[in-house]
Amino acid sequence: MSDGGYGTIVMEKIIINGAKPLRGTIEVSGAKNAALPILLAALMVDDKCVIENVPCISDVTLSLEILSSMGCRIRMLTKNTVEIDSRFATGGVSPYDLVRRMRGSYYLIGAELGRWGRAYVGLPGGCDIGIRPIDQHIKGFRALGAEISVEGGYVKASADELSGASIYFDNVTVGGTINVMIAAARAKGTTVIENAAREPHIVDLANFLNSCGAKITGAGTDVIKIKGVDKLYGSTYAIIPDMIEAGTYMCAAAATRGRLRVNNVIPKHLESISAKLEEMGVEIIENDDSVEVCGNGELRRVNIKTLPYPGFPTDMNPQIGVLLCLAKGVSCLTESIYDNRFKYVEELKRMGASITVDGSTAIIEGGGLLSAAPVKALDLRAGAAMIIAGLAAKGRTEIEDIHFIERGYDDIVGKLRSVGADIKKVIIPSAVSFEKAN
Ligand code: EPZ
């Protein structure tokens, strides 16, 4: 019998009082989309690895929980440095309910196949931004000699021995490139991936694996060669800065007509973002490992099409979409990677945006001011866009479902407060309380 105790549903929100220019310096954390593959690829190294500059985000916490449940010994040496000892790990036991919470967990397939010759991993989750199949991953694993089936919500794979092969991806896929690279690192012989993704996080993973003794060349180009080795050895490796986090803060500076120094960046990774912001009239000063963004001029309309790297990143679509609402004139924003990346438009319309989505293109009538409103984060980058919109809009904006944002942004509220934003995270007990079940 329940004791008649009462539970209360609590909700976390971000509250912003906007229209204050951001001024100061923001430090960018390690890249989420490099950290996830590198942490899970540590499974391939039956030794100890120390990974530095790991961002404090929930997807990383989740990845470490999954590794720990597989028998890896995890030690946090600092807030951003983790030691992973994979010597006692076993495959095929990753918890389904954890694996399905994010997209990056599917790197476990490549890691388990690569290390043990078999994999048993739940299908991944991740942001609902469109159909996200894994047919190219499966094509790559089969080329390496694995038998693959998808049944009961799991991917099952096995191979007597993984042998190097030539793989041509039908479409550019970051995840597919990463997964095959991981699996091929200890295969017999040489694997060549053609039409490979070129993102900086692909290069970062290749550099990490090479620091462990792998023989990978060509990462960052569309042809990657992996000469399989028998064993990988523990190493210490620092993750690159997060280019999407940097781009998000660059947009926030422009949206609030502020002046921001964004530290810990690799300017080359930001080239397409900087180029578009400059085309919009934003002043960008590039230094060795930082960029200065000065958004005090009027924002001009531009047309943008998202493309695989080095094109304009799809993960910056929502953030630049907010900026186009503030620019003078009509802009076209075309999404070429996903078929459901414009969900944030409906939330922006609550703030007065004038946007028409026609297939893969959003026609954005800018020039108006955004007005504060209660809105929701509908996925990770859409949530970041709501923060930028709230920072720009006069008045109080409340953002719900902020767990999406915390998947990929390390202390975004604290970082924005440090440069003058009136922003805070609040926990609100819901008016609804409920009697606990037995
Ligand atoms: C990674 O997703 C990122 N996620 C995404 O970032 C990012 O948007 C995407 O790369 C593109 O840059 C992580 O790194 C964890 P893809 P991924 O495979 O690997 C299609 C964020 O906000 N495709 O390059 O899933 C797919 O449907 C997240 O940080 C196939 O058709 O992306 C999509 O249309 C969101 N078959 C396109 O390719 C496949 O087998 C690109 O997907 C695989 C993908």
Side-chain angles (χ1 to χ4, degrees):
M1 274 298 273
S2 81
D3 59 6
Y6 283 81
T8 305
I9 303 166
V10 292
M11 182 190 290
E12 288 187 329
K13 286 184 180 180
I14 285 177
I15 312 285
I16 300 169
N17 286 304
K20 292 174 178 56
L22 300 184
R23 285 209 173 76
T25 299
I26 262 191
E27 307 288 330
V28 172
S29 300
K32 165 179 93 79
N33 292 344
L36 301 183
I38 287 173
L39 293 174
L40 297 179
L43 262 180
M44 294 281 288
V45 185
D46 28 11
D47 199 344
K48 284 183 186 177
C49 289
V50 174
I51 313 297
E52 298 170 339
N53 200 33
V54 178
C56 294
I57 56 175
S58 58
D59 271 10
V60 162
T61 308
L62 185 56
S63 300
L64 295 176
E65 279 173 24
I66 291 170
L67 289 174
S68 173
S69 70
M70 297 173 72
C72 293
R73 293 178 184 172
I74 308 289
R75 272 194 329 137
M76 294 310 295
L77 307 182
T78 71
K79 192 166 80 76
N80 301 103
T81 306
V82 61
E83 179 190 76
I84 302 172
D85 180 351
S86 299
R87 286 176 296 172
F88 313 100
T90 47
V93 297
S94 55
Y96 185 87
D97 62 315
L98 298 184
V99 162
R100 70 166 303 164
R101 281 194 222 158
M102 66 177 188
R103 181 82 180 161
S105 51
Y106 59 14
Y107 300 137
L108 287 170
I109 308 168
E112 290 192 6
L113 255 184
R115 178 163 173 187
W116 293 294
R118 64 188 179 285
Y120 186 65
V121 182
L123 282 165
C127 288
D128 174 16
I129 49 181
I131 307 162
R132 302 179 79 177
I134 61 168
D135 58 302
Q136 297 302 302
H137 301 237
I138 291 171
K139 172 181 176 177
F141 294 141
R142 282 186 173 141
L144 294 174
E147 291 199 1
I148 301 251
S149 63
V150 179
E151 48 196 79
Y154 280 83
V155 176
K156 207 170 168 186
S158 64
D160 296 335
E161 182 179 69
L162 288 182
S163 313
S166 282
I167 297 154
Y168 188 95
F169 281 132
D170 301 349
N171 60 280
V172 174
T173 159
V174 168
T177 303
I178 287 175
N179 238 337
V180 168
M181 196 195 298
I182 292 173
R186 290 175 59 175
K188 279 266 174 295
T190 298
T191 296
V192 178
I193 303 173
E194 294 186 86
N195 200 20
R198 300 167 51 190
E199 273 72 2
H201 26 295
I202 305 267
V203 178
D204 213 24
L205 172 67
N207 290 341
F208 163 67
L209 289 170
N210 285 342
S211 77
C212 299
K215 291 185 171 34
I216 301 171
T217 53
T221 75
D222 61 353
V223 180
I224 300 176
K225 274 200 182 118
I226 304 114
K227 277 178 76 176
V229 296
D230 293 335
K231 191 168 167 42
L232 294 173
Y233 301 88
S235 81
T236 296
Y237 189 80
I239 286 169
I240 54 168
D242 193 317
M243 59 186 254
I244 304 300
E245 183 191 12
T248 301
Y249 292 127
M250 292 167 76
C251 286
T256 58
R257 297 177 180 275
R259 184 176 189 90
L260 212 49
R261 182 188 179 93
V262 183
N263 266 356
N264 305 332
V265 301
I266 298 172
K268 174 116 187 84
H269 295 169
L270 304 172
E271 271 179 356
S272 64
I273 300 168
S274 300
K276 276 301 169 187
L277 289 175
E278 285 176 327
E279 204 182 320
M280 293 182 73
V282 178
E283 186 190 353
I284 308 272
I285 300 164
E286 279 187 13
N287 306 307
D288 287 348
D289 61 355
S290 66
V291 287
E292 286 170 56
V293 183
C294 183
N296 53 13
E298 187 171 75
L299 291 171
R300 295 191 293 264
R301 51 118 357 248
V302 292
N303 291 335
I304 296 173
K305 180 175 184 180
T306 66
L307 287 168
Y309 191 87
F312 190 87
T314 175
D315 293 346
M316 284 296 299
N317 172 330
Q319 300 93 309
I320 204 80
V322 175
L323 222 46
L324 296 175
C325 293
L326 302 170
K328 196 167 177 52
V330 179
S331 303
C332 289
L333 173 55
T334 301
E335 170 59 41
S336 75
I337 309 291
Y338 293 108
D339 52 19
N340 189 21
R341 190 112 226 197
F342 285 117
K343 288 187 309 189
Y344 67 93
V345 165
E346 290 313 307
E347 293 303 299
L348 274 185
K349 285 181 175 175
R350 292 171 181 272
M351 300 178 76
S354 175
I355 305 175
T356 309
V357 177
D358 177 10
S360 62
T361 296
I363 298 149
I364 300 172
E365 283 183 64
L369 289 176
L370 291 174
S371 54
V375 290
K376 286 178 185 277
L378 297 177
D379 61 59
L380 165 58
R381 306 302 175 186
M386 293 303 114
I387 289 180
I388 295 172
L391 291 170
K394 203 166 171 49
R396 176 186 166 101
T397 293
E398 295 190 4
I399 305 171
E400 285 183 28
D401 295 338
I402 60 172
H403 59 87
F404 283 115
I405 302 169
E406 294 177 333
R407 287 190 49 202
Y409 286 92
D410 184 345
D411 189 23
I412 189 167
V413 171
K415 290 184 180 181
L416 286 170
R417 287 175 67 85
S418 73
V419 290
D422 179 349
I423 181 172
K424 61 185 175 190
K425 183 167 107 170
V426 297
I427 295 177
I428 301 173
S430 151
V432 175
S433 63
F434 56 92
E435 188 167 346
K436 277 183 188 159
N438 290 334

